[in-house]
Amino acid sequence: MENYIDFLERIHSFEKKEADFGKDYFHVSPAVVSKVGTDNQYKEFYGDTVVFDLDADTKKKVSEYVDELYKDASECFCEQLDYSTFHVTLHDLSNSPVLCEVADEVFENEIKIVKEVRAKIKPQIIRMKTKCVFNMVDISLVLGLYPADEEEHRKLFALYDIVDGVKQLSYPLTPHITLAYYNCNGFDASSARKLEKIIRRLNDNTFEIILDTKRLYYQKFTSMNDYINILNLSD
């Protein structure tokens, strides 16, 4: 398990309060086009995941961030995410733009979740703090989070390790809430400067978020805007 100090050092290395989209035209990651069509609407994208759903008050706070982004810089983003989808991913599992490429793996994941994971999830809450809004690998704009202290970090990563037994990942956990996916065509320098200004303003604020295993779900999705709760892992 990555210890708390190493975790903080890692996220501090790229979660910066001052956004920088470069001086020229901002080109998004090619990964965006697997999720977003040329019309900037969400495409079919299939898979499964384990997430913390968020309480209504937290979703309201996050929606205020999103509203401000789309009000002043909508050209930087694709279709707006439905507020009901806001979540914190505990562990990615499988995904693909082609259903038949991932269907068997998703089926196997669900069996493992039911047989090997569910019984290990104990009721608890995890206190998290918001760090900043930042650019996530040129795919999306997200609100970064971190555990409030070392004990909260231990609890979060213990849960992560349980689900990691279903499918190990090649990258570490970076807790966040996705606010918006970028316009698949990118955006010009003028829009970039405007977006950087909005992010600076949003990053003047911080607040605490409670992750509760009562709202920990195994989900399947058919796009980045369509999630289905399959199993509550705390039942």
Side-chain angles (χ1 to χ4, degrees):
M1 179 191 298
E2 183 181 36
N3 68 47
Y4 189 48
I5 299 302
D6 288 345
F7 167 82
L8 292 178
E9 289 180 352
R10 174 170 61 83
I11 66 167
H12 289 340
S13 71
F14 59 87
E15 296 187 19
K16 306 293 186 183
K17 287 193 172 185
E18 292 289 328
D20 181 5
F21 292 95
K23 299 185 182 300
D24 302 315
Y25 197 93
F26 177 72
H27 295 278
V28 301
S29 165
V32 174
V33 300
S34 68
K35 301 176 180 180
V36 178
T38 55
D39 58 356
N40 273 309
Q41 301 295 300
Y42 290 107
K43 295 166 60 174
E44 293 178 346
F45 192 74
Y46 302 96
D48 58 347
T49 183
V50 174
V51 310
F52 286 98
D53 191 18
L54 301 172
D55 63 83
D57 286 345
T58 299
K59 287 183 178 180
K60 183 176 185 301
K61 290 177 182 177
V62 174
S63 72
E64 290 169 356
Y65 278 45
V66 174
D67 288 345
E68 190 162 347
L69 291 167
Y70 276 83
K71 173 176 172 287
D72 295 335
S74 61
E75 73 275 14
C76 297
F77 306 107
C78 72
E79 174 188 2
Q80 190 167 334
L81 288 166
D82 191 298
Y83 298 152
S84 66
T85 69
F86 293 154
H87 63 265
V88 175
T89 299
L90 174 65
H91 200 293
D92 294 320
L93 290 172
S94 304
N95 63 78
S96 173
V98 181
L99 178 58
C100 65
E101 291 182 353
V102 76
D104 288 347
E105 188 174 353
V106 169
F107 178 74
E108 292 172 3
N109 290 343
E110 183 174 359
I111 291 173
K112 290 179 181 178
I113 290 287
V114 172
K115 290 185 174 181
E116 302 172 15
V117 172
R118 195 177 187 186
K120 298 178 182 177
I121 305 297
K122 306 304 180 186
Q124 61 182 312
I125 63 169
I126 301 170
R127 293 184 300 110
M128 306 287 287
K129 294 182 178 181
T130 62
K131 187 176 186 300
C132 60
V133 175
F134 71 97
N135 170 28
M136 178 70 93
V137 296
D138 296 344
I139 295 175
S140 57
L141 200 63
V142 308
L143 176 60
L145 310 173
Y146 65 98
D149 57 35
E150 193 166 357
E151 174 59 18
E152 304 305 299
H153 171 270
R154 185 199 63 76
K155 291 190 290 185
L156 178 65
F157 277 77
L159 287 174
Y160 178 88
D161 286 344
I162 291 171
V163 185
D164 201 50
V166 175
K167 180 177 181 178
Q168 292 186 341
L169 300 176
S170 60
Y171 50 87
L173 174 63
T174 301
H176 65 275
I177 301 169
T178 300
L179 303 177
Y181 287 89
Y182 295 127
N183 183 320
C184 67
N185 301 305
F187 43 88
D188 62 24
S190 174
S191 293
R193 300 294 82 74
K194 181 167 54 174
L195 181 55
E196 288 167 359
K197 183 177 180 180
I198 299 167
I199 292 171
R200 282 197 298 272
R201 187 165 68 240
L202 292 175
N203 283 339
D204 285 337
N205 308 302
T206 59
F207 56 94
E208 187 171 284
I209 290 174
I210 298 296
L211 303 182
D212 193 332
T213 54
K214 291 180 181 178
R215 292 189 292 270
L216 184 63
Y217 289 94
Y218 171 65
Q219 292 185 334
K220 296 179 183 178
F221 51 84
T222 55
S223 83
M224 291 295 91
N225 211 18
D226 294 282
Y227 292 82
I228 306 155
N229 289 337
I230 303 299
L231 190 65
N232 185 314
L233 298 185
S234 66
D235 285 348

